[in-house]
Amino acid sequence: AAWYGGQHGASTGTGAADTPATPVAAQGGAHGSVASGGPAAHASAAAARAGVKFEAQGFVTATRHATVSTRVAGIVRSVNVEAGDRVKEGQVLGTLDADLAQRELQLAEGQVQVLASRVTSAEAQLRQARSDLAQEEQLYQQKFSSSARLTAKQTAADIAQAGVQSARSDLDVARLQVQQQRSMLSNYTIRAPFAGIVTEKNAQMGELIAPSGAGGGFTRTGLCTIVDTNSLEVVVDVSEQLVTQVKPGQPVELTLYAYEGTVIKGQVSRIMPSADRAKGTLQVRLSILDKDPRILPDMRARVSFL
């Protein structure tokens, strides 16, 4: 079916040759199609609205949506959202069982304490070695010691210095491991990457969740799906014959079928650089200027190009 509009009117005949009406928008297909009613009804409806070039039907889509998952596999301990909830950026959506990661963090923190004690001991040995060296130097200057003993004290001080450096390096590595374990532990808390609305709840408490579906059908790949409502736009398919009447920035009026009578302002954001050979249409994306929390993905909308 196609939209037909109305400078030439529409015939009441039943055949295609009997309806020489002017086409104003092609069938939308997957993203845009005509509304119900015959060609004469569409012609009169379009003519009744001043300034409307043609009308088409489209669907609301989101350019920013995500199935929120985690970098690690684990058992879901809690889910804090339900489908339809609005969430803020950074909000905790759920948690995974992190007992093992918590123990690994405690082990890494214990290793830091051990190495810190080792550094303290090595520094004490270094101070003692330097004190012995200073005394030996005095004895050597007073001719009460030999060069061999002085050399031995100097070597002991050098070994103690190397021991301190080694202990400090090991302590630095252990502290990095603690930071790594804390980062890993944070992966067991799933947060919203952006503000939006939860459209799907994909996992329940007690289920296994993983970044990929390696575990088969029993492994979930995400906790929930979030749609950024600020990224909603309307997608329509416009006939090739009418695409010259569409320009980026062109104003449009949107009417959701769910809320008849409510006109929403919008504009053409871009014309996609590819055509559908089967339908003879180009996809046009429209930005929504009047934000409304009632606008949801996959809603149908009637679009009037002005």
Side-chain angles (χ1 to χ4, degrees), residues 7 10 23 40 52 59 65 99 105 129 147 162 180 204 211 235 256 263 292:
Q7 295 181 358
V52 177
F59 290 89
H65 57 90
D99 289 343
L105 175 60
S147 59
Q180 182 181 16
Q204 301 290 340
V235 179
L256 298 176
V263 178
D292 192 324

Side-chain angles (χ1 to χ4, degrees), residues 82-104:
E82 295 289 343
D85 290 350
R86 294 188 177 273
V87 297
K88 299 179 180 180
E89 181 178 355
Q91 180 177 334
V92 177
L93 305 177
T95 58
L96 304 181
D97 187 359
D99 289 343
L100 181 59
Q102 187 67 44
R103 293 192 188 98
E104 290 177 350

Side-chain angles (χ1 to χ4, degrees), residues 105-222:
L105 175 60
Q106 293 174 354
L107 179 62
E109 290 174 342
Q111 187 69 16
V112 167
Q113 295 178 358
V114 171
L115 292 175
S117 300
R118 176 183 163 190
V119 169
T120 302
S121 176
E123 290 174 345
Q125 293 176 2
L126 176 60
R127 289 193 296 270
Q128 182 62 44
R130 286 176 175 175
S131 177
D132 294 344
L133 176 61
Q135 293 179 2
E136 196 65 35
E137 287 176 345
Q138 293 179 357
L139 292 175
Y140 180 77
Q141 292 174 359
Q142 297 173 2
K143 307 299 182 181
F144 292 118
S145 179
S146 63
S147 59
R149 288 178 58 85
L150 180 62
T151 301
K153 295 295 183 179
Q154 180 64 55
T155 302
D158 292 341
I159 293 174
Q161 178 65 41
V164 170
Q165 294 176 353
S166 176
R168 288 175 177 173
S169 298
D170 291 342
L171 180 60
D172 291 339
V173 172
R175 286 171 175 167
L176 290 176
Q177 289 177 344
V178 168
Q179 294 179 3
Q180 182 181 16
Q181 291 300 326
R182 285 177 179 169
S183 178
M184 289 293 295
L185 185 61
S186 66
N187 291 330
Y188 289 81
T189 300
I190 304 174
R191 299 180 180 274
F194 49 80
I197 185 171
V198 178
T199 57
E200 276 186 79
K201 181 180 177 182
N202 304 323
Q204 301 290 340
M205 186 172 62
E207 290 186 314
L208 176 64
I209 188 174
S212 63
F218 297 101
T219 302
R220 303 293 185 181
T221 57

